[in-house]
Amino acid sequence: MKILITGTAGFIGFHLANALAARNDEVLGIDNINDYYDVNLKYARLSEAGFSNEAIDCLKTQSDKSEFKIFTSQRYANLKFAKIDLTDKEKIDQIFKDFKPEVVVNLAAQAGVRYSLINPQAYINSNITGFLNILEACRHMGVQNLVYASSSSVYGLNESMPFSVHEGVNHPISLYAATKKSNEMMAHTYSHLFGLPTTGLRFFTVYGEWGRPDMALFLFTKAALENESIDVYNHGKMKRDFTYVGDIVKGIIKCIDNKAQPNQHWDALAPDPASSKAPFKIYNIGNNSPVELMEYIAAIEKHIGKQIKKNMLPLQAGDVPQTFADVSDLVSDFDYKPSTSVDEGVGKFVKWYRQFYNA
């Protein structure tokens, strides 16, 4: 298939693009390579995916106003990349016209719950305006399937565990979560009005090799190896449904290969939030096994081989105490369930981190 992926210099997008290229799909990735976190890691991901030093040097000097160039990976002849911002409607429309994707996977977004308290405008620009540009391009170019990243953060104040896609999510507690909830509503509108099949995926605390430096695993590992202390919020009593990135990618691919269908049993008097009479679907992708933060830290300590100094702090604004994914729809529709243990996943990350940073 011809698949366009947004956010391919990012954590999940990088892994997905490589997986799809390896199975011989024709993949075009786009990313604006912003500086929310270290851009050198983003360029390193592109280098790992086979893009040459010359291509990366060109990307580094490309201005927002210049014409975009499409580069081809030296590792996969069927993997290409262009530096484009989702908010640049003209370039988004042009890349859709030139590439003519059958499937679009939207992973690009302004990420981070805590950062949304500091720079809310970035979330509106990327997650709302940018997503609208993707929806419009899909609509006008006849895209057959749109898969997009939502987040477990949409569950907000809900404390009914495990979190089910069949329950309402009307009480977000961060602007980031509100934008992800908005994406789901926007997608449903386009599914209803224009018959665009859309699948929203609520990811649960993704971790693994090539991960984001603002995430706990990265921060904790770095601090441990540098003999620094870590901040442990909610006094370590947080629980998260930590999900290994390889499991996330497998779940995304299931949805790429199986576009959303209308719910044949749709009942407008008792509407199901996870489906519709339109081709619209929502799934959780989580490990379905919450782990206490202190247990997660213990796994890091085990694989590094040393204790980490801890600063015990209260719960931060915008954070929820616990997440727990109900993945029964993923199992019933695709016979798939994430299964990588925290011990295995953390071990893979620590090994990668030591090699990448020569630590």
Side-chain angles (χ1 to χ4, degrees), residues 118-339:
I118 301 168
N119 188 6
Q121 192 63 49
Y123 292 77
I124 301 303
N125 294 343
S126 180
N127 301 5
I128 302 298
T129 303
F131 189 59
L132 177 62
N133 290 340
I134 293 295
L135 286 169
E136 277 288 278
C138 288
R139 166 196 173 189
H140 290 293
M141 291 306 299
V143 168
Q144 298 170 22
N145 185 11
L146 170 63
V147 180
Y148 62 95
S150 185
S151 167
S152 62
S153 66
V154 299
Y155 289 102
L157 290 177
N158 184 359
E159 294 183 5
S160 176
M161 302 289 170
F163 292 148
S164 170
V165 292
H166 302 289
E167 297 176 359
V169 285
N170 298 316
H171 301 91
I173 58 173
S174 70
L175 185 65
Y176 169 68
T179 62
K180 288 300 185 179
K181 161 74 171 172
S182 299
N183 287 170
E184 295 177 3
M185 298 171 72
M186 293 163 72
H188 181 266
T189 303
Y190 274 68
S191 295
H192 173 72
L193 291 174
F194 310 114
L196 172 65
T198 66
T199 302
L201 303 177
R202 294 174 180 168
F203 298 145
F204 281 69
T205 316
V206 190
Y207 72 99
E209 307 94 302
W210 297 95
R212 279 175 27 209
D214 61 320
M215 297 293 283
L217 180 55
F218 211 107
L219 292 168
F220 293 174
T221 300
K222 181 177 186 293
L225 291 170
E226 295 176 0
N227 294 313
E228 300 287 340
S229 61
I230 61 172
D231 292 336
V232 181
Y233 294 103
N234 202 28
H235 304 284
K237 294 185 171 121
M238 309 269 275
K239 278 191 172 182
R240 289 289 180 269
D241 208 341
F242 295 104
T243 312
Y244 180 63
V245 66
D247 291 341
I248 291 285
V249 166
K250 289 175 185 175
I252 297 172
I253 292 174
K254 293 287 186 184
C255 297
I256 288 172
D257 294 343
N258 300 276
K259 66 184 179 182
Q261 302 291 335
N263 181 353
Q264 299 300 323
H265 305 289
W266 172 256
D267 182 356
L269 296 177
D272 171 21
S275 65
S276 174
K277 65 178 182 180
F280 166 88
K281 188 68 179 174
I282 301 289
Y283 292 101
N284 287 330
I285 304 187
N287 214 47
N288 190 230
S289 180
V291 171
E292 193 165 276
L293 185 55
M294 296 306 292
E295 184 180 336
Y296 192 61
I297 293 170
I300 301 170
E301 291 174 329
K302 170 189 169 184
H303 288 283
I304 290 177
K306 67 190 325 185
Q307 291 274 308
I308 307 174
K309 293 177 283 187
K310 306 168 187 70
N311 302 321
M312 310 305 278
L313 299 170
L315 187 68
Q316 275 209 322
D319 277 352
V320 296
Q322 181 176 353
T323 63
F324 181 4
D326 178 343
V327 295
S328 54
D329 281 28
L330 207 60
V331 173
S332 62
D333 289 358
F334 306 129
D335 193 26
Y336 175 69
K337 180 181 178 182
S339 59

Side-chain angles (χ1 to χ4, degrees), residues 8 14 17-18 43-51 72-76 79 210:
T8 37
F14 156 75
N18 278 268
Y43 286 121
R45 291 180 185 130
L46 292 175
S47 178
E48 179 70 13
F51 293 96
T72 301
S73 165
Q74 295 177 333
R75 181 178 177 187
Y76 302 108
L79 174 60
W210 297 95

Side-chain angles (χ1 to χ4, degrees), residues 25-44:
D25 288 307
E26 188 176 346
V27 181
L28 172 62
I30 64 173
D31 199 298
N32 68 352
I33 316 183
N34 68 25
D35 61 359
Y36 170 63
Y37 62 79
D38 185 10
V39 295
N40 292 317
L41 178 59
K42 298 181 180 184
Y43 286 121

Side-chain angles (χ1 to χ4, degrees), residues 92-112:
I92 290 293
D93 289 346
Q94 189 61 53
I95 202 80
F96 270 73
K97 288 175 185 175
D98 292 347
F99 185 61
K100 297 179 176 61
E102 300 164 77
V103 178
V104 174
V105 184
N106 186 62
L107 300 174
Q110 179 56 61

